[in-house]
Amino acid sequence: MFGFINRLLGRQPENVKAKVEIYTWQTCPYCIRAKMLLGWKGVNYIEYKIDGDDAARAKMSDRANGGRTVPQIFINDQHIGGCNDLYQLDSGGKLDPLLAES
């Protein structure tokens, strides 16, 4: 679905070269919202569903400098933060350049 919309709107997901990782809970509305933005931009991301997995949550927290809320998003192993941080990068025009880096 996003592929058609991206082509229709002239978006270029082929410019996305970054490795994107996102830690989520299945029913988390912020996780869903973050994944929607990434999908809208044509990003193929690695999703770690950590619902009820304390070991996975601890690993996420270590990577996220103590962050325990979901989602936690990483671009090229750089901690971006959560959903609001992702949208703030996008609205400031800083997300697309990050996604273009390999």
Side-chain angles (χ1 to χ4, degrees):
M1 177 173 111
F2 288 119
F4 170 75
I5 294 170
N6 284 331
R7 286 190 302 279
L8 183 68
L9 296 176
R11 296 185 187 267
Q12 300 173 337
E14 64 274 4
N15 291 339
V16 176
K17 295 175 177 57
K19 175 184 173 189
V20 179
E21 301 168 278
I22 180 169
Y23 288 83
T24 66
W25 275 32
Q26 188 171 351
T27 58
C28 164
Y30 293 101
C31 299
I32 294 166
R33 188 168 175 245
K35 292 188 298 183
M36 288 290 292
L37 177 59
L38 294 172
W40 180 257
K41 292 191 167 284
V43 176
N44 291 319
Y45 53 85
I46 300 166
E47 180 178 10
Y48 304 107
K49 297 178 183 178
I50 63 167
D51 302 62
D53 185 341
D54 290 335
R57 188 171 199 142
K59 181 179 178 180
M60 175 199 75
S61 182
D62 286 343
R63 287 188 72 196
N65 303 316
R68 297 199 40 85
T69 60
V70 287
Q72 290 295 325
I73 304 160
F74 297 84
I75 299 177
N76 290 330
D77 294 317
Q78 176 187 348
H79 182 234
I80 299 304
C83 179
N84 292 340
D85 301 307
L86 183 69
Y87 273 83
Q88 186 175 20
L89 282 173
D90 188 45
S91 66
K94 297 178 181 176
L95 181 57
D96 289 340
L98 279 177
L99 293 174
E101 295 176 8
S102 56

